[in-house]
Amino acid sequence: MQTLFNIINIPFGWALEFLSGLFGGNFAAAVFMFTLLINVLLIPLSIKSQKSSVQQTRIKPKLDELRKKYGDDKQKYNEAMQKLYQEEGVSLSGGCLPMVLRLVLMMSIYYLIMSPLTYLVHIDSSVISEAAKQIGTTANARAELQIIEAVRNGTIDFPQIADKLGAIDFNFFGIDLTQTPKFSFDIFHDAQLIWIMPIIAFLAQMLTSAISLVMQKKINPDSPNMAGMMLTMPLLSLFIGFTLPGGVAFYWACSSLIGGLIQVGVQQFYGPQKMLSRERLKELNKECDFEASQLKKIKGTAEK
């Protein structure tokens, strides 16, 4: 799995380094722009997924009829359903591929943000392993931001790392994105500035979940109520955000906000009502063409 991510992350790392250079070494700005570019490139997949969802909605009445017709005979129902999908030109996996690709990219970018020493400043793995030993951990994706924090605060001395880090600014309005929040219920005495990052990720995820819920109801009004899930995912983001460095929470927040805005844009141009209207128009045109061809045949027969 790591080999797969390396195939993706090595070129992504060079791209992130290039963007960082464009913004004067600002890591946060590079991550934001990188996330924006990735989401823009994924717009065709979002459109494809939206079209697949709308097609499923379009044939739902026919599927309901098949369900009534075959009752508990699941084998005949599945055969009839597959035949219907073929006749209507609807793919059963139309929305799966975009989701799988998004998941792979999400995991890949996660490793990219967590491993800036490997992918952003290209430190040799042996140096990273030695630095990890000195801070009492093993070389892994999570250790690299800890190493950066240790080098910067002087806990360990690695000039070969410190020299390359000098060109990268990991601060975001005074927040060090290499730090990991340490939660405490005594918020008045133990609060940290880094707490802002998981909170921002939580709020961004809430917004995205709300947008997704509204769009799902528009596409399929009969879909089950997902209000509980809308709260569950942001809370999960908040919890995990307090266990990972701020840079990861920052990426989640950027991804949620940018992804949410793109979803709104896709919805405006490829909304269910608009697409269903287009499909209905195509069907009417086909019916008109069929009737016209039949009239021509009748007219030709009559003339003979």
Side-chain angles (χ1 to χ4, degrees):
M1 185 62 73
Q2 185 63 46
T3 302
L4 172 63
F5 289 139
N6 281 337
I7 293 173
I8 302 173
N9 280 344
I10 289 174
F12 276 11
W14 288 106
L16 190 61
E17 182 184 22
F18 174 75
L19 291 171
S20 178
L22 289 181
F23 292 98
N26 190 291
F27 179 73
V31 168
F32 176 83
M33 186 56 65
F34 182 81
T35 307
L36 175 62
L37 291 173
I38 290 296
N39 276 272
V40 168
L41 291 174
L42 289 176
I43 287 177
L45 291 180
S46 298
I47 294 173
K48 181 179 176 63
S49 181
Q50 176 79 351
K51 286 182 176 180
S52 178
S53 297
V54 172
Q55 293 286 5
Q56 297 271 353
T57 302
R58 180 176 65 83
I59 66 171
K60 186 177 181 299
K62 296 181 180 180
L63 287 173
D64 291 339
E65 290 178 5
L66 291 177
R67 192 175 289 109
K68 291 179 182 178
K69 180 179 179 180
Y70 294 107
D72 295 330
D73 193 336
K74 293 184 178 180
Q75 182 177 353
K76 288 186 177 180
Y77 169 74
N78 288 331
E79 291 174 355
M81 181 181 67
Q82 291 178 2
K83 183 179 179 181
L84 175 64
Y85 272 76
Q86 291 176 352
E87 291 174 350
E88 297 290 337
V90 179
S91 173
L92 283 167
S93 60
C96 295
L97 180 60
M99 291 177 63
V100 171
L101 288 177
R102 280 186 174 277
L103 180 61
V104 170
L105 285 172
M106 183 183 72
M107 292 298 298
S108 178
I109 293 170
Y110 164 79
Y111 278 107
L112 184 66
I113 301 301
M114 289 288 285
S115 308
L117 295 180
T118 297
Y119 299 113
L120 183 60
V121 294
H122 315 295
I123 300 292
D124 189 83
S125 59
S126 61
V127 176
I128 296 173
S129 297
E130 184 61 32
K133 289 180 183 178
Q134 291 199 20
I135 63 172
T137 186
T138 56
N140 53 48
R142 186 170 182 174
E144 293 199 17
L145 291 177
Q146 296 174 341
I147 292 171
I148 292 171
E149 183 180 5
V151 168
R152 293 203 159 184
N153 62 28
T155 303
I156 59 175
D157 182 23
F158 271 82
Q160 57 269 59
I161 295 178
D163 291 344
K164 290 195 174 184
L165 289 178
I168 307 295
D169 180 11
F170 288 92
N171 285 310
F172 176 70
F173 293 104
I175 302 172
D176 186 356
L177 296 179
T178 65
Q179 289 184 343
T180 300
K182 296 177 177 62
F183 182 73
S184 170
F185 287 103
D186 189 0
I187 60 175
F188 295 104
H189 296 92
D190 298 333
Q192 302 171 309
L193 194 60
I194 191 65
W195 285 12
I196 293 175
M197 299 318 303
I199 292 172
I200 289 177
F202 166 77
L203 295 175
Q205 186 67 52
M206 279 289 291
L207 176 62
T208 303
S209 297
I211 292 172
S212 297
L213 184 63
V214 171
M215 289 196 306
Q216 183 62 33
K217 281 297 181 183
K218 285 185 177 180
I219 294 173
N220 185 6
D222 298 327
S223 62
N225 193 333
M226 301 293 288
M229 184 62 71
M230 186 188 84
L231 186 60
T232 300
M233 294 305 295
L235 285 174
L236 186 62
S237 297
L238 181 66
F239 173 77
I240 297 176
F242 273 96
T243 65
L244 296 173
V248 178
F250 178 75
Y251 160 69
W252 283 347
C254 292
S255 183
S256 295
L257 291 173
I258 294 170
L261 290 174
I262 288 177
Q263 277 187 319
V264 171
V266 171
Q267 184 72 17
Q268 288 297 317
F269 291 98
Y270 296 93
Q273 297 303 323
K274 291 182 179 179
M275 292 189 67
L276 288 173
S277 297
R278 291 171 192 161
E279 291 293 330
R280 182 55 184 158
L281 182 60
K282 288 180 182 179
E283 291 177 359
L284 290 173
N285 287 333
K286 287 181 180 179
E287 291 175 5
C288 290
D289 290 341
F290 176 76
E291 290 178 0
S293 64
Q294 291 298 107
L295 287 172
K296 285 183 180 179
K297 287 181 180 179
I298 294 172
K299 185 178 179 181
T301 303
E303 289 177 349
K304 291 179 181 179

